[in-house]
Amino acid sequence: MPDENSPAGVPATAMVPVAQIFRRDAPGPWWPAGIDLLQILWCPNEHWDPPAQQADVSPVLEVRWRRAADVISQLTTPPSPSRYDEDGYLPQACAITAEHVTDFPFREELPAELRPRLEELVRETGDGSDVITRLAGWKLGGWPTWHLTHPTVFPCGDCGTAMTLLFTVASDDETGVVVGRWGDLRIFTCPADHRHAFQVDLH
């Protein structure tokens, strides 16, 4: 468990479920062979000195790849966290409606020949220069936005492969989740081996 006793001696708190996704509902290249269930949990407390490859001043995440057939016992009443820093770290229980959308690399990562068309799209929509990648809502897969920093490549700490975006937890009124200053908490994983350590980024 990534949480720990508080300075006041309060015991570590239970992890909170953030998302549970079945392969049948969101097929794509992010699924490892033989895996059909993705579970994402986090500690609902800000960690100022988090474990390696976690984001600062954010909930610490766990990513669990599973086979649904192996989940033979389910908790009807998950344990509630004994403490939490913000209400925004406690997602409201809801069903996810999957919507397939197309997004594109950040503008600085686009091929040069496509940039004039992007400038036209920005003028047409008036949505700002990040119109093609900063989609509202939570996202499985796709491209990360870099509207606050320059594009960054996270190398896998185990094999050096460039990591890819797995999941985006976006601050959202509907879910009641707020991370950072209404930012996005992104999970990057190694495309070569899902068992390698993941990277969390707050943007």
Side-chain angles (χ1 to χ4, degrees), residues 29-41:
W30 40 78
W31 291 101
I35 299 295
D36 61 357
L37 176 60
L38 169 63
Q39 295 174 322
I40 299 171
L41 304 95

Side-chain angles (χ1 to χ4, degrees), residues 108-130:
E108 294 178 19
E109 299 178 291
L110 282 174
E113 62 269 21
L114 293 181
R115 293 179 186 174
R117 178 64 189 109
L118 172 60
E119 294 174 3
E120 292 178 15
L121 185 61
V122 169
R123 286 194 297 271
E124 292 169 3
T125 62
D127 284 340
S129 58
D130 201 20

Side-chain angles (χ1 to χ4, degrees), residues 1 3 10-17 42-45 75-84 89-91:
M1 178 165 303
D3 197 18
V10 178
T13 191
M15 299 288 281
V16 174
W42 70 25
C43 169
N45 295 294
L75 290 176
T76 55
T77 306
S80 299
S82 57
R83 60 187 174 88
Y84 53 91
Y89 296 155
L90 297 177

